């Protein structure tokens, strides 16, 4: 019924749309013609000119008439004296405290220094700035010996003015065979430093030498200490008119020895000696077991800033004493060394601390005042004219291991505490509440020593029980003397004489 069939296609053309036609054509712009023309700046001419030759001219001094100058000065003298007297009596600037430059308003830590080469757990036992204030030296050792010292300690120095300072590697190191307990830079020679060791030696180094830096040693024997050296200090040589310095060392054996140093010959010679006896304490202040003919250990020393023959010392018994280099008391016969005979230098005894005195410092601003601190957790300010302290400060921070007056502000007193704080008091405002209480010890370890920088007054250094040295930048209020500070210090000293 159905079948496949292929049909032709049927086309239906549009009745309205025409077929399109395409035409191709090409177009082109005209040929671009170019011309090159060279141009040049105008010509210039150089002409040299010169001033006339300079001829030497002789300077002719005017005629000098001494009588006319004298008459002129005499005529001005009454007017000048009158104006100076008016200025002296004027109160126009009372209470005005001028600040010459802007600075810091807070105390900040600039560096934390540590000698990584020291493998033993050593404490910073002493600090000292050199005579230019650019180098800090740190002694390491331990205060808690129960037997003979077997530690290998070091003396380390850093130049804090170097841009590339390595806080973990000192610029200079010196090894010692036993703990180094104290150090002190020479007052004028920036490379010379003295130290005292646990075994009683007094050592002098010169860091400017390329070879062996140890230039002198007291050795161990009859003419040296038999116990650890507590403090060393440079003292003026009275025979040199202030041009040379001797070394004074004090020890827990009670001896205070003066050494003459010859850097050229590399010798350290014992020249004079003193000893602190228990009889120096008033009888009612001695314990029942304390014999008067027994020596007392000396823990610290400080010389009067004006009278260099007068010094004060602190002792292991808590006693505080005023001494004189000129005092030749009764010699202690059984303490005679092979070179010198030891005398008692004590001229006055102060009311003692209730425990060992760790630090003592004479005020650089008042000849009669000095500060002490110790294990009774108090710091005291004494006048050399009265046995009882004129001021007692109790930070409540445990033992006080070090205290120092500011070299630039008469009323600022800093202390290092057992609980790891640097405590700074401004006695102008309060002796009860510190102006600053800063965490200076890592892991709250004790701060054993502190030192103001006398040449760069904005710097202070502390040393802790972990062997770290911290360099602090002080605020402006701690480095700029205020109005009437010395008068207030005189009033504090005068409390004992009223």
């Amino acid at each position: 019924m159905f079948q496949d069939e292929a049909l032709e296609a049927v086309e239906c053309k549009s009745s309205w749309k025409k077929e399109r036609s395409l035409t191709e054509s090409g177009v082109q712009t005209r040929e671009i013609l170019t011309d090159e023309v060279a141009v040049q700046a105008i010509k210039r001419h150089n002409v040299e000119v010169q001033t006339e030759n300079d001829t030497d001219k002789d300077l002719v001094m005017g005629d000098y008439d001494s009588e006319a100058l004298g008459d002129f000065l005499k005529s001005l003298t009454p007017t000048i004296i009158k104006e100076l007297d008016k200025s002296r009596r004027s109160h126009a600037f009372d209470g005005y405290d001028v600040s010459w430059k802007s600075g810091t308003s807070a105390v900040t830590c600039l560096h934390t220094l540590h000698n990584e080469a020291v493998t033993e757990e050593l404490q910073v036992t002493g600090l000292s700035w050199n005579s230019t204030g650019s180098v800090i030296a740190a002694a390491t050792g331990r205060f808690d010996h129960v037997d003979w010292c077997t530690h290998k300690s070091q003396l380390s120095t850093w130049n804090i003015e170097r841009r590339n300072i390595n806080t973990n590697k000192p610029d200079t190191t010196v090894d010692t065979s036993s703990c180094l307990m104290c150090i002190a830079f020479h007052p004028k020679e920036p490379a010379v430093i003295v130290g005292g060791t646990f075994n009683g030696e007094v050592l002098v180094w010169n860091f400017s030498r390329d070879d062996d830096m140890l230039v002198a040693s007291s050795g161990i024997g009859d003419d040296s200490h038999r116990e650890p050296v507590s403090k060393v200090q440079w003292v003026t040589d009275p025979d040199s008119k202030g041009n040379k310095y001797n070394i004074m060392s004090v020890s827990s054996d009670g001896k205070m020895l003066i050494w003459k140093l010859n850097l050229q010959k590399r010798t350290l010679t014992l020249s004079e000696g003193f000893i602190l006896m228990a009889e120096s304490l008033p009888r009612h202040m001695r314990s029942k077991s304390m014999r008067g003919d027994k020596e007392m250990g000396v823990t610290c020393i400080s010389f009067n800033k004006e009278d260099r023959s007068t010094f004060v010392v602190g002792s292991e018994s808590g006693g505080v004493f005023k001494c004189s280099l000129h005092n030749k008391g009764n010699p202690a016969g059984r303490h005679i060394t092979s070179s010198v005979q030891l005398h008692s230098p004590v001229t006055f005894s102060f009311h003692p601390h209730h425990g060992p005195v760790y630090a003592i410092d004479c005020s650089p601003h008042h000849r009669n005042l000095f500060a002490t601190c110790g294990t009774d957790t108090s710091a005291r300010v004494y006048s050399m004219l009265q046995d009882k302290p004129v001021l007692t400060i109790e930070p409540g921070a445990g033992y006080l291991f070090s205290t120092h007056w500011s070299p630039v502000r008469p009323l600022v007193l800093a202390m290092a505490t057992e609980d790891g704080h640097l405590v700074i008091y401004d006695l102008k405002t309060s002796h009860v509440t510190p102006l600053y209480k800063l965490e200076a010890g890592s892991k709250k370890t004790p701060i054993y020593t502190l030192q103001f920088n006398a040449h760069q007054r904005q710097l202070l250094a502390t040393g802790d029980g972990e062997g770290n040295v911290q360099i602090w930048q002080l605020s402006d209020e701690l480095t700029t003397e205020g109005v009437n500070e010395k008068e207030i210090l005189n009033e504090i000293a005068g409390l004992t004489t009223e």
Side-chain angles (χ1 to χ4, degrees), residues 216 237-240 245-247 258-262 267-272:
D237 186 345
D239 299 329
S240 67
Y245 290 85
N246 296 329
I247 297 169
I258 298 179
W259 308 86
K260 281 188 176 293
L261 172 66
N262 190 318
T267 58
L268 197 62
T269 307
L270 180 63
S271 65
E272 196 172 2

Side-chain angles (χ1 to χ4, degrees), residues 64-78:
Y64 173 67
D65 189 344
S66 59
E67 293 183 1
L69 177 60
D71 294 339
F72 171 73
L73 294 176
K74 287 180 181 179
S75 65
L76 291 179
T77 298

Side-chain angles (χ1 to χ4, degrees), residues 206-468:
N206 187 346
F207 292 144
S208 64
R209 295 178 62 93
D210 295 329
D211 52 355
D212 186 11
M213 289 186 287
L214 180 63
V215 295
S217 171
S218 67
I220 301 175
D222 293 336
D223 284 347
S224 61
H225 295 288
R226 295 298 184 92
E227 297 289 340
V229 179
S230 307
K231 287 291 183 292
V232 287
Q233 191 160 357
W234 296 89
V235 296
T236 53
D237 186 345
D239 299 329
S240 67
K241 297 181 180 180
N243 296 324
K244 294 182 180 179
Y245 290 85
N246 296 329
I247 297 169
M248 191 169 192
S249 59
V250 300
S251 168
S252 54
D253 60 8
K255 295 178 183 178
M256 294 165 271
L257 305 180
I258 298 179
W259 308 86
K260 281 188 176 293
L261 172 66
N262 190 318
L263 288 174
Q264 286 72 32
K265 295 182 179 180
R266 305 182 68 170
T267 58
L268 197 62
T269 307
L270 180 63
S271 65
E272 196 172 2
F274 302 95
I275 192 164
L276 184 64
M277 306 296 294
E279 63 185 12
S280 300
L281 275 173
R283 188 173 297 275
H284 68 279
M285 295 181 182
R286 303 179 202 168
S287 64
K288 294 182 179 180
S289 60
M290 184 180 294
R291 292 165 37 194
D293 61 346
K294 184 175 177 57
E295 66 275 7
M296 287 189 296
V298 182
T299 55
C300 48
I301 180 173
S302 180
F303 275 79
N304 189 290
K305 299 302 186 290
E306 294 184 11
D307 181 7
R308 290 294 180 175
S309 66
T310 300
F311 60 98
V312 286
V313 298
S315 67
E316 292 178 346
S317 67
V320 180
F321 306 96
K322 177 182 177 182
C323 305
S324 174
L325 294 177
H326 303 314
N327 185 44
K328 301 297 182 182
N330 295 328
R334 66 188 185 89
H335 296 289
I336 297 176
T337 69
S338 60
S339 298
V340 300
Q341 194 171 22
L342 303 182
H343 298 263
S344 173
V346 176
T347 60
F348 192 78
S349 176
F350 300 93
H351 195 276
H353 280 260
H354 303 294
V357 180
Y358 282 141
I360 194 165
D361 188 38
C362 288
S363 169
H365 309 283
H366 198 292
R367 64 175 298 170
N368 287 327
L369 288 180
F370 64 94
T372 62
C373 68
T375 59
D376 58 3
T377 71
S378 69
R380 301 180 180 182
V381 177
Y382 289 91
S383 168
M384 291 192 182
L385 306 178
Q386 180 76 13
D387 60 344
K388 293 183 179 181
V390 298
L391 202 62
T392 300
I393 303 172
E394 297 180 339
Y399 292 173
L400 301 179
F401 292 111
S402 183
T403 184
H404 278 285
W405 295 95
S406 165
V408 293
R409 276 216 48 202
L411 295 173
V412 168
L413 192 62
M415 303 164 200
T417 72
E418 181 187 18
D419 67 357
H421 285 92
L422 167 64
V423 182
I424 305 177
Y425 284 86
D426 185 352
L427 302 183
K428 186 176 182 179
T429 58
S430 174
H431 70 276
V432 177
T433 304
L435 187 64
Y436 290 96
K437 188 174 183 180
L438 307 166
E439 291 188 7
S442 59
K443 302 177 183 178
K444 295 185 178 181
T445 56
I447 306 300
Y448 287 112
T449 180
L450 70 90
Q451 283 290 330
F452 282 95
N453 191 325
H455 302 276
Q456 299 189 42
R457 63 182 188 178
Q458 76 280 11
L459 296 181
L460 179 147
T462 59
D464 67 16
E466 295 288 330
N468 298 313

Side-chain angles (χ1 to χ4, degrees), residues 124-184:
V124 177
T125 54
L127 292 172
S128 182
W129 294 96
N130 73 343
S131 60
T132 63
S134 60
V135 174
I136 183 68
T140 55
R142 292 199 70 87
F143 290 109
D144 55 354
H145 292 89
V146 295
D147 203 344
W148 187 250
C149 178
T150 59
H151 300 110
K152 303 294 183 182
S153 66
Q154 283 190 331
L155 169 62
S156 306
T157 68
W158 286 267
N159 187 334
I160 61 170
E161 292 185 346
R162 290 186 176 179
R163 291 185 178 181
N164 57 342
I165 180 173
N166 189 336
T167 58
N168 294 316
K169 183 180 180 181
D171 301 321
T172 307
T173 57
V174 176
D175 296 326
T176 57
S177 59
S178 66
C179 285
L180 191 60
M181 308 307 295
C182 52
I183 53 174

